[in-house]
Amino acid sequence: ELAAAVEAAPAGEVILLPNSKNAILTAEQVAEATAKAVRVVRTRSIQAGLGAMVSFDSVRDASKNAAEMEGAAAGVRAGAVTRASRTTTLGGLAIEQGEFLGLVDGEPVTSGPTLEPVAREVVERIVGEATDVLTVLVGQDAEDVEGLTTAVRDAHPELEVEVHEGGQPHYPLLFSAE
């Protein structure tokens, strides 16, 4: 599918954003197998991919864009809240099936029966002194996002908080700190 998309692209140069550590190798193989000039920006999350896209400039060639996009993606801290599909222990964290699971850069950091405290813990772990913007992508099963964002704004008045409908089915909330 990726190779077909690359070949169908109207441009002679293409930049691929895998947005998953599991898709990076596939994207690199597509880059080698196609006749077009393809650059792979090794994004490991949707949030990093969105951060990379912000730095894209249609006037630059693919090499320069890829370099800028890699830098932008590297500056993104990604957080997510999902539901645990089974009872397990990950990285020393006990997680019950159906609980909310908080991830920072793909690693489990917290869990609990209600969304808001798990989401707040994730936000606190990704927001640092150099963070200017926190982007919240709201998924299908998110609840009380307004209350959450109000609490975040109260805790971090210097932080710009942007909220967008993402519609993602498996992650009620995705966070991007830049």
Side-chain angles (χ1 to χ4, degrees), residues 29-92:
Q29 290 172 338
V30 166
E32 292 176 13
T34 183
K36 290 190 178 188
V38 177
R39 305 292 186 283
V40 177
V41 176
R42 298 172 58 102
T43 53
R44 298 180 180 276
S45 67
I46 292 169
Q47 300 92 314
L50 291 171
M53 287 178 59
V54 169
S55 69
F56 178 83
D57 183 345
S58 62
V59 176
R60 289 191 298 243
D61 67 26
S63 289
K64 289 180 183 169
N65 262 319
E68 290 292 324
M69 293 169 82
E70 285 172 3
V76 173
R77 294 271 331 239
V81 178
T82 188
R83 285 228 187 234
S85 60
R86 59 188 168 93
T87 298
T88 190
T89 301
L90 293 171

